[in-house]
Amino acid sequence: MHLKSILNHVHPLKSFVYKRARLVKAAGRPAKIEVEIEPRANGRPICSGCGEKRPGYDRLTVRRFQFVPLWGIPVFLVYAMRRVKCPPCGVTVEQVPWATGKCRLTTSFRWFLAGWAKRLWWQATADAFQTTWEDVFRSVKHAVEWGLAHRDLAGIEAIGVDEVQWRNGHTYLTLVYQIDTVKRLLWVAEERTEKSLRGFFESLAGDVKAGIQFVASDMWRPYLNVIAEQIPSALHVLDQGIVRPMALLQPCR
Ligand SMILES: [Zn+2]
């Protein structure tokens, strides 16, 4: 079975076709697999601004989108994006089904990384799949945001707010966990400012927010301010020890 056939089976693309697949070696060893993609003949590109089919305008230089590895070898989909001429939007880059926006990772690979990041530390995930800590972080963030938009969040009673350091302590992340009968990561944001945490509360429906009865965090002033402002009637437990063991999606510290 050709690699193309396997890809058509596991990752079919409606308006595009897989073309040549090649193994790129470095120092005599397999370094990566590159699979070229081309649009189907007569398939018109979709404007990324409005989602409508529009006439093509020109093509950009080739881009590589990292895909799920095969046999431990990194895989890249190689494609020259078309630009489209769209009357309402102007000249825009087309929308493709395997990635969003300017992301270098395919959506499949982001879900793959987010899945492994539940089982391994984020740095270990990055090392195992030959990507970076930042890419794992962004993949988890994408999965968490998708979860917030699609999951039923009713019934959250207790949350824990945690901060983690990375890049040798120069940068922080803010994480929010549900820590009642369900244990899960609800929010990931860069830095540990009031804005980092306020974004979480602003993403919740009013009744979900009103249902939070307990919150655990450390004494970090910006967190205390936002918790007092957003859920003033919740019981606030100032104990990081409650949150940390819940950190199922523990990034590398
Ligand atoms: Zn458009």
Side-chain angles (χ1 to χ4, degrees), residues 16 45-51 81-82 93-97 99:
F16 299 83
I46 295 174
C47 170
S48 55
C50 61
M81 306 280 278
R82 291 171 290 180
V93 178
E94 71 174 312
Q95 179 181 312
V96 292

Side-chain angles (χ1 to χ4, degrees), residues 100-210:
T100 51
K102 291 191 167 65
C103 191
R104 295 179 300 102
L105 308 184
T106 58
T107 305
S108 297
F109 190 47
R110 289 160 91 181
W111 280 107
F112 177 86
L113 290 176
W116 277 100
K118 283 188 190 176
R119 300 174 196 132
L120 301 174
W121 282 28
W122 292 1
Q123 188 60 53
T125 305
D127 294 345
F129 302 110
Q130 290 150 74
T131 182
T132 61
W133 193 98
E134 284 82 355
D135 279 343
V136 175
F137 157 64
R138 289 190 197 102
S139 299
V140 172
K141 192 168 191 291
H142 165 254
V144 167
E145 284 167 358
W146 188 93
L148 280 184
H150 294 85
R151 252 186 267 139
D152 181 11
L153 294 174
I156 297 178
E157 293 183 356
I159 58 168
V161 182
D162 196 10
E163 63 195 73
V164 295
Q165 279 183 312
W166 55 296
R167 282 189 183 145
N168 299 321
H170 295 306
T171 315
Y172 285 86
L173 294 182
T174 296
L175 306 181
V176 181
Y177 297 91
Q178 181 174 359
I179 56 170
D180 43 52
T181 48
V182 179
K183 315 279 186 282
R184 60 181 169 175
L185 183 59
L186 295 172
W187 182 252
V188 186
E190 289 181 65
E191 303 180 16
R192 52 170 183 168
T193 61
E194 292 193 4
K195 186 167 166 246
S196 319
L197 182 57
R198 192 174 287 114
F200 166 68
F201 290 107
E202 287 173 353
S203 76
L204 299 178
D207 56 334
V208 175
K209 195 164 90 172

Side-chain angles (χ1 to χ4, degrees), residues 47-52 54 84 86-90 92:
C47 170
S48 55
C50 61
E52 294 295 325
R54 300 294 184 197
V84 302
C86 178
C89 307
T92 62

